[in-house]
Amino acid sequence: MIIRLKQDTNMIRILFLLTIFISVLISLLELFTYSGFMKKHLFFNINIFLFFGFVLVILLSLKLNEIISLKLGKILFVSAISALTAMIVLTSLELIKYPNFIFSVTHIEIKNFSQLIAYLLSASFIVVVSKKLFKVFKNNVFFSTVFVFLLAVYIFKNCTFVSASINRLLPPALAKPTATYSDKMYYLWSDPYRYLETVKQLTSNNEVVFLPTGTSAQAITGNIGLIRYFLYPRSLSLYDPERSKNGFLVVSPGNELGDGDYTLWPNHWVDSDYYYLINTKDRKVKRIDKDFDPIDLSGHFWALVKI
């Protein structure tokens, strides 16, 4: 026997609110613990639960009238803004005190706010537009559900990215509101940023720059898509000992992600015209007119080799 839920019945409202409540509760659970808590202890990824939660919210929201949907959407949106405000306040408080202050006192992991904010914003969108799209698709539940779900997932991913970016960019903005662009970029990217700025000064726009290949310690300088932002319009290519000629070779000491992995690249002799020894701490540059030999490098120095 198929039980049909009548529009705007108490059962629909209860199921709808229960779905939202459980989803938010699980997001809060990871907020007050750590990323991956659900997967480690309950053996399922939180994103899988949110996936099915989205589908259920869409189906239930189709059964609500537009007035109730609009009210619930506003509540969810206000909740998202409140969560964003809380993230900003806690981030500011941590800057005043010391790093990891909030987690040590309240056990709240600030970076996990991004998932909660993204879910609330996406859910508010679903509630508001699903009913209208249901009419657009001429009351076809299947097409309405699929379309709204795909749109909601797209919004969820973008909201997650935006809120995570806010969480990452907020500390330097609050700590030094009058800081220059260069100082803020150094805060975000550390030594690789200063190195790349020096590379721009030492090379012309039509030069070719060869980047590290296949190393985790050079996760930043080995990423062509990322480095293109810093070195455009210079041509970029991954280094090939047999083919890479007539350009500048990046030499990185490693630890680009701050993980302590100081693995020099390249760690072998390179036939070159000359190379620049670059100290990113004091920004001093020294030209050395000889072949590049990693043995000559002392300490965690960067270099730029003319090949």
Side-chain angles (χ1 to χ4, degrees):
M1 179 179 180
I2 300 176
I3 301 176
R4 295 183 177 274
L5 297 176
K6 294 183 179 180
Q7 187 173 3
D8 298 336
T9 60
N10 289 332
M11 180 62 70
I12 293 175
R13 297 177 189 179
I14 292 173
L15 287 175
F16 179 86
L17 293 174
L18 185 62
T19 303
I20 295 292
F21 175 76
I22 293 176
S23 299
V24 172
L25 184 64
I26 289 179
S27 298
L28 287 173
L29 185 60
E30 291 220 345
L31 177 66
F32 281 92
T33 53
Y34 54 85
S35 299
F37 175 85
M38 301 300 297
K39 186 175 183 179
K40 180 178 180 180
H41 295 281
L42 299 180
F43 307 106
F44 71 87
N45 192 305
I46 185 174
N47 291 324
I48 296 177
F49 179 85
L50 294 179
F51 173 87
F52 290 105
F54 271 137
V55 175
L56 186 57
V57 166
I58 293 170
L59 291 172
L60 292 174
S61 63
L62 294 177
K63 298 295 183 178
L64 298 173
N65 65 40
E66 292 188 19
I67 296 177
I68 295 178
S69 297
L70 187 60
K71 289 182 179 179
L72 290 174
K74 288 181 178 179
I75 292 173
L76 291 170
F77 181 77
V78 171
S79 300
I81 299 301
S82 300
L84 177 61
T85 303
M87 183 181 75
I88 295 174
V89 171
L90 293 177
T91 301
S92 303
L93 185 60
E94 188 159 282
L95 288 172
I96 296 173
K97 296 293 185 177
Y98 54 84
N100 213 34
F101 168 76
I102 298 300
F103 186 78
S104 62
V105 175
T106 65
H107 221 276
I108 294 177
E109 194 164 356
I110 297 178
K111 68 177 183 179
N112 286 346
F113 264 106
S114 59
Q115 197 166 38
L116 175 62
I117 295 170
Y119 178 79
L120 290 171
L121 286 175
S122 304
S124 66
F125 165 79
I126 290 174
V127 174
V128 172
V129 306
S130 58
K131 192 71 176 181
K132 296 180 180 180
L133 288 174
F134 188 48
K135 293 181 179 179
V136 172
F137 285 99
K138 298 180 179 179
N139 298 338
N140 189 307
V141 176
F142 175 77
F143 286 111
S144 299
T145 303
V146 171
F147 184 81
V148 175
F149 174 74
L150 293 176
L151 201 55
V153 170
Y154 175 78
I155 291 177
F156 177 76
K157 291 186 67 176
N158 280 275
C159 287
T160 302
F161 174 77
V162 171
S163 54
S165 298
I166 292 175
N167 183 47
R168 185 171 66 92
L169 298 173
L170 194 60
L174 293 175
K176 297 181 179 180
T178 59
T180 63
Y181 173 80
S182 180
D183 290 337
K184 292 177 181 178
M185 291 296 286
Y186 178 70
Y187 182 94
L188 292 173
W189 299 102
S190 191
D191 288 344
Y193 172 73
R194 283 187 177 172
Y195 171 74
L196 293 171
E197 284 295 289
T198 305
V199 171
K200 287 178 64 176
Q201 296 172 5
L202 296 174
T203 59
S204 59
N205 290 343
N206 59 353
E207 292 286 0
V208 178
V209 179
F210 300 107
L211 305 179
T213 57
T215 61
S216 58
Q218 283 71 34
I220 294 179
T221 55
N223 186 331
I224 289 184
L226 177 62
I227 299 305
R228 183 170 286 113
Y229 170 80
F230 296 100
L231 296 184
Y232 181 83
R234 295 158 186 79
S235 298
L236 303 179
S237 178
L238 294 177
Y239 178 67
D240 183 338
E242 301 297 328
R243 300 180 180 179
S244 298
K245 304 293 181 184
N246 300 320
F248 286 89
L249 174 64
V250 166
V251 177
S252 167
N255 190 43
E256 295 183 0
L257 297 177
D259 54 6
D261 183 7
Y262 284 101
T263 302
L264 178 68
W265 190 97
N267 59 359
H268 55 79
W269 176 87
V270 177
D271 183 15
S272 57
D273 300 331
Y274 59 88
Y275 67 91
Y276 295 103
L277 190 62
I278 302 171
N279 189 332
T280 55
K281 302 303 181 185
D282 57 18
R283 305 187 185 188
K284 291 183 178 180
V285 178
K286 180 180 179 181
R287 173 167 167 161
I288 300 177
D289 295 303
K290 57 177 291 188
D291 293 329
F292 172 77
D293 191 338
I295 298 178
D296 297 334
L297 270 65
S298 59
H300 304 307
F301 285 102
W302 298 73
L304 184 66
V305 181
K306 179 65 174 75
I307 57 176

